[in-house]
Amino acid sequence: QVQLLESGGGLVQAGGSLRLSCAASGRIGSSYIMGWFRQPPGKEREFVAAINRSGGITYYADSVKGRFTISRDNAKNTVDLQMNSLKPEDTAVYTCAADAGVVISRSSLRYDYWGQGTQVTVSS
């Protein structure tokens, strides 16, 4: 069983930055593909970014490419999402997830474990 806990959310002005962190209980090391998803108010959950087990391959949604960076520290069992140049449309609950599979997926159906989420609000 893997438990995930996000931190780092908050309120920021448009153009600002936030860094989200996801800490995993237990030793996930390089055992899981990790992803970040978000759910804007009144909308469906959507893919944001994912990183493979070693950290050498990353995927991003087109809407965040060039602004967000996902990274992981397998020794510390953490996955971070650095968010720069934030826009009001980035406002959402951000959740990290772990996938025991071997191929990175943008589909939330592929992920096995989920955190509770952290609120990010970007004011205009």
Side-chain angles (χ1 to χ4, degrees):
Q1 185 74 15
V2 174
Q3 293 185 325
L4 305 172
L5 182 63
E6 303 91 343
S7 61
L11 174 64
V12 64
Q13 288 189 331
S17 298
L18 280 176
R19 188 176 184 89
L20 305 183
S21 187
C22 175
S25 66
R27 185 174 177 81
I28 62 167
S30 59
S31 298
Y32 293 89
I33 292 167
M34 299 299 295
W36 283 94
F37 290 79
R38 68 184 182 186
Q39 186 166 16
K43 296 184 178 181
E44 297 289 319
R45 178 184 285 169
E46 62 186 30
F47 171 79
V48 177
I51 189 166
N52 76 333
R53 296 181 179 194
S54 68
I57 299 174
T58 56
Y59 285 171
Y60 296 93
D62 289 342
S63 58
V64 307
K65 201 172 295 183
R67 300 188 297 122
F68 290 12
T69 302
I70 187 171
S71 61
R72 67 188 295 163
D73 186 329
N74 288 340
K76 295 182 179 179
N77 292 328
T78 58
V79 179
D80 291 349
L81 185 68
Q82 177 66 43
M83 306 186 296
N84 299 328
S85 302
L86 283 161
K87 306 174 181 180
E89 51 264 42
D90 293 319
T91 295
V93 175
Y94 284 72
T95 307
C96 70
D99 174 10
V102 296
V103 178
I104 294 180
S105 175
R106 293 178 169 85
S107 172
S108 62
L109 297 176
R110 290 285 305 275
Y111 288 77
D112 304 292
Y113 301 101
W114 293 83
Q116 293 296 313
T118 185
Q119 177 70 48
V120 171
T121 302
V122 184
S123 63
S124 57

